[in-house]
Amino acid sequence: MWRIVWIIVGVAMLGAALPGSASAQTMPLNEFIATADRIPRNPLALLRSDYRRLKREVEAGLILIATAQYRAREANQPPQTCLPETFTFNTETVLNQLKAIPEPRRRRMTITDGLREVIRRQYPCP
């Protein structure tokens, strides 16, 4: 039980370090990337509504991913992702990895789908 609490806390902390947004279910990945590219990379960016919107999007997506991982493990099924209890992401690195997803695939993906793919690459399941 405490393990999932720490995973969710870690996910929320990660979301605070990344640009985030509103509903992880609705924002297309291309829109997320375009919006993130317009945000300047300086401390004043934290004051922008776009930054806060993208931050909420990432937080919601990561919580969905961590919750799905927890539920799969509880059901003795292989999880789609294998996030460790604690983890860190570099904002620019994650954004670059999202941009590396081929354009035709990105058009059909949400930010949650993109984050799931980045997590699978960075933290492969054993």
Side-chain angles (χ1 to χ4, degrees):
M1 174 64 180
W2 282 107
R3 186 174 189 162
I4 189 59
V5 170
W6 286 114
I7 288 174
I8 292 174
V9 167
V11 165
M13 289 172 46
L14 168 65
L18 296 173
S21 161
S23 168
Q25 308 252 329
T26 59
M27 181 176 264
L29 184 54
N30 276 342
E31 179 184 336
F32 179 90
I33 291 171
T35 304
D37 283 343
R38 288 192 300 269
I39 296 174
R41 305 304 192 254
N42 62 44
L44 292 177
L46 299 175
L47 303 175
R48 294 177 58 114
S49 62
D50 282 353
Y51 170 83
R52 291 188 304 273
R53 185 169 61 97
L54 294 179
K55 179 177 175 279
R56 287 189 306 269
E57 188 75 34
V58 169
E59 288 171 347
L62 290 172
I63 288 170
L64 284 173
I65 292 166
T67 302
Q69 176 179 312
Y70 172 76
R71 287 185 178 153
R73 287 187 175 153
E74 287 294 305
N76 291 322
Q77 297 174 347
Q80 290 185 354
T81 58
C82 291
L83 278 170
E85 286 188 42
T86 59
F87 57 95
T88 59
F89 280 137
N90 175 289
T91 305
E92 289 302 314
T93 302
V94 171
L95 191 56
N96 287 334
Q97 289 175 337
L98 291 172
K99 289 178 184 179
I101 297 170
E103 175 65 27
R105 286 187 54 221
R106 276 198 324 236
R107 278 189 239 129
R108 298 184 316 257
M109 296 175 82
T110 64
I111 182 59
T112 303
D113 298 330
L115 288 171
R116 189 176 291 116
E117 187 163 317
V118 168
I119 289 168
R120 279 186 196 136
R121 276 190 246 135
Q122 190 158 351
Y123 300 105
C125 292

